[in-house]
Amino acid sequence: MPDQFDSAKALQELLSEVLTKWPLYRVYAYTGKNCHSETYSNSKNRRFGLLPKQIRLFCGHKECGYETLWEISDAQVYFGSEFINRDSYTCRNCGKTTVNYCYIWQEREPNNIFVKVGQYPELEERVPDTLKQALDEDDLKLYKNALRMRNFNFGIAAVAYMRRVIENRMNGMLEILHEAAITHNAPAKLIARHKDMKEEKRFSVKVDYAGDLLPVSLRPSGKPNPMAVLHELASDGLHVKSDEECVGIFDACRRTFEYVFGKLRVETEDAKNFVKEMSLLTGKRTK
């Protein structure tokens, strides 16, 4: 169901996400005349919308190397003046890098539409450094392929590539979660299943076990288990979903996968090293 907006500001916040994160050719439909404005010229009214004045993007320039604010010089877009509109944003920090967008923005009945049809430089396929260190060359290439398919709105292909990577790395994921579970004093019966689960062939069963291993601190009461999103990758219903629906599945699974293999892996190793250091320190004090 299309979103409804009553103000230009609310629409701009959503368009910021579309410009910076959405794949190409994905149609965003919405309703609400109050989010648009009009001006008068030669006794004729001209309706227009406002792009976000600023967006947040990663800047790869040597003076930046992190996420910065990017700004557009003129945010007004008059409807009907162009079929495909073109605009650019410039990094406010270095002032030297720009990102260019081509898009279609139209007022229609019953729904208005906004479609990003071009972007240069292309949408980032950046992989976190912690994840790069965890993947071998082949899996890293597959994962970058998944990101590229996602960015062109080929969600089904993106999910297929991601599932291949996760299947290849599932035992490694279980190893990380197993260590995290031990650190967080998980039940002994749960820990004891680890060896059998590593030999298990069924993807869905391994996903279930991975969810059980996830520390309670990462599974807030009343909230779904973050690992449960990986079930979508094993679902038979995946084959009847659209590319756009699969992009949503990919994004949810990506957050879980990158966290477990990236941040959680590092945190678990740090925790293990800390315990070792404390044990050595305690031993020295006892002597």
Side-chain angles (χ1 to χ4, degrees):
M1 187 174 180
D3 292 335
Q4 182 171 358
F5 295 97
D6 296 322
S7 69
K9 182 178 180 181
L11 176 59
Q12 287 171 352
E13 291 176 356
L14 193 285
L15 293 182
S16 177
E17 181 177 350
V18 173
L19 290 172
T20 59
K21 298 180 181 179
W22 276 36
L24 298 180
Y25 315 121
R26 184 176 180 180
V27 179
Y28 180 68
Y30 66 95
T31 62
K33 294 292 185 182
N34 294 334
C35 57
H36 298 159
S37 303
E38 60 185 14
T39 186
Y40 295 90
S41 176
N42 297 327
S43 300
K44 294 182 180 180
N45 63 316
R46 300 178 64 198
R47 293 185 61 75
F48 65 89
L50 292 173
L51 290 172
K53 183 65 175 175
Q54 295 180 342
I55 59 177
R56 297 193 70 89
L57 287 171
F58 177 84
C59 180
H61 193 273
K62 62 182 180 180
E63 294 181 13
C64 299
Y66 55 91
E67 189 176 86
T68 62
L69 281 175
W70 298 56
E71 192 165 275
I72 191 173
S73 57
D74 184 4
Q76 287 188 350
V77 180
Y78 284 95
F79 299 118
S81 60
E82 299 281 351
F83 177 66
I84 296 181
N85 300 279
R86 301 169 181 81
D87 277 298
S88 62
Y89 286 80
T90 302
C91 175
R92 288 190 60 188
N93 188 60
C94 67
K96 297 176 181 177
T97 51
T98 60
V99 59
N100 303 279
Y101 293 107
C102 292
Y103 57 91
I104 298 169
W105 196 0
Q106 296 178 352
E107 281 190 316
R108 291 183 175 182
E109 291 294 342
N111 303 318
N112 310 307
I113 65 164
F114 187 98
V115 189
K116 184 173 63 170
V117 296
Q119 177 177 344
Y120 186 81
E122 63 271 16
L123 196 60
E124 285 285 348
E125 294 168 10
R126 229 166 13 100
V127 179
D129 290 339
T130 52
L131 186 59
K132 283 182 181 179
Q133 296 169 11
L135 300 180
D136 61 26
E137 184 178 347
D138 290 339
D139 283 336
L140 182 58
K141 183 176 180 180
L142 287 173
Y143 194 61
K144 287 183 176 180
N145 285 342
L147 294 175
R148 188 172 298 115
M149 293 298 100
R150 182 265 179 207
N151 290 346
F152 280 93
N153 205 33
F154 297 136
I156 297 173
V159 164
Y161 275 118
M162 168 171 269
R163 171 160 176 164
R164 175 78 178 276
V165 176
I166 292 180
E167 285 178 336
N168 290 346
R169 313 305 297 183
M170 179 56 82
N171 280 350
M173 182 182 291
L174 291 180
E175 202 65 48
I176 294 167
L177 291 171
H178 179 250
E179 293 292 343
I182 293 174
T183 303
H184 288 81
N185 299 316
K189 288 184 178 180
L190 179 65
I191 301 297
R193 294 170 55 200
H194 179 62
K195 183 177 179 180
D196 291 338
M197 286 297 102
K198 288 188 69 174
E199 297 175 358
E200 174 63 53
K201 302 299 182 182
R202 290 169 294 176
F203 181 72
S204 59
V205 174
K206 285 192 172 186
V207 169
D208 277 339
Y209 183 61
D212 293 338
L213 287 175
L214 200 69
V216 176
S217 60
L218 300 179
R219 290 180 287 156
S221 178
K223 299 293 183 180
N225 188 329
M227 294 298 292
V229 298
L230 296 183
H231 264 297
E232 292 283 1
L233 294 176
S235 171
D236 291 334
L238 185 64
H239 302 293
V240 298
K241 294 185 183 295
S242 68
D243 273 315
E244 290 196 3
E245 289 173 318
C246 286
V247 166
I249 293 172
F250 177 88
D251 288 346
C253 293
R254 176 184 180 179
R255 285 190 288 271
T256 298
F257 179 65
E258 289 187 353
Y259 177 77
V260 172
F261 253 84
K263 292 183 178 180
L264 186 59
R265 180 179 65 88
V266 173
E267 291 172 3
T268 301
E269 289 177 357
D270 287 345
K272 288 169 61 179
N273 291 333
F274 176 77
V275 171
K276 288 180 180 178
E277 290 173 4
M278 289 300 100
S279 297
L280 290 173
L281 182 61
T282 301
K284 289 180 180 179
R285 293 183 61 183
T286 301
K287 292 180 181 179

